Amino acid sequence: MSELIRFGVSIDGDLLEKFDKQIEKKGYKNRSEAIRDLIRDHLVEEEWAKDEEIVGTITVVYDHHTPDLNQNMTHIQHSFTGEIKSVLHIHMDHHNCLEVLVVKGQGHLVQSLADQLIALRGIKHGKLTMTTTGEAIPSSAGHHANGHEHSH
Ligand code: NI
């Protein structure tokens, strides 16, 4: 673990107020924790952008009565058998289904799979969430090793 560094940030007062309200709702105890998570989030996205192997989930919500939709979804998924590790399907109500695909593979392939699924007619909402094993990213563990921090 590397040394803990303090740095100052100049920021618009209104913006900081909104940020503080939001992070309080999310349960952060101080700004430092929230900012560290934002930076880590950003670094994860950058790592993905470099097209390293990523893991993630693709979530789609759709009306299963939409003509051809089930067939089209199955067809696309059969083109990504290497990337799809697991599929969870929930019948939410009479019309709507929720499907969550757990995916692992090259970033551009996983993105392509998500794009194709989400673009299908009848998909009401779709989202790809990516993460990595994070080997190159310092974890949150150990950040409090140097003692308490206060959000002054
Ligand atoms: Ni269903």
Side-chain angles (χ1 to χ4, degrees), residues 22-139:
Q22 193 199 48
I23 66 176
E24 194 188 339
K25 271 188 214 160
K26 288 178 187 252
Y28 285 106
K29 291 187 192 76
N30 59 54
R31 284 177 195 149
S32 292
E33 274 179 32
I35 290 168
R36 280 194 294 263
D37 275 1
L38 284 176
I39 292 173
R40 255 182 241 114
D41 241 20
H42 184 74
L43 292 174
V44 166
E45 282 177 17
E46 289 289 305
E47 189 172 350
W48 166 76
K50 282 189 293 184
D51 210 18
E52 294 180 10
E53 179 160 286
I54 66 107
V55 289
T57 58
I58 300 168
T59 305
V60 287
V61 174
Y62 60 95
D63 184 339
H64 72 94
H65 294 115
T66 308
D68 301 327
L69 181 56
N70 280 319
Q71 208 180 328
N72 290 335
M73 284 184 66
T74 303
H75 180 73
I76 291 168
Q77 292 187 33
H78 275 264
S79 304
F80 291 90
T81 53
E83 286 71 34
I84 300 171
K85 301 300 174 190
S86 183
V87 179
L88 171 76
H89 186 106
I90 306 278
H91 310 300
M92 293 199 292
D93 54 36
H94 186 67
H95 293 280
N96 294 298
C97 300
L98 167 74
E99 204 157 289
V100 180
L101 289 73
V102 178
V103 291
K104 181 171 183 274
Q106 288 296 107
H108 72 277
L109 289 175
V110 169
Q111 184 72 60
S112 171
L113 167 60
D115 289 345
Q116 288 182 49
L117 286 174
I118 293 166
L120 286 174
R121 193 169 76 85
I123 300 286
K124 294 178 172 178
H125 179 237
K127 189 169 171 61
L128 166 62
T129 304
M130 300 169 295
T131 186
T132 77
T133 53
E135 276 170 23
I137 301 169
S139 74

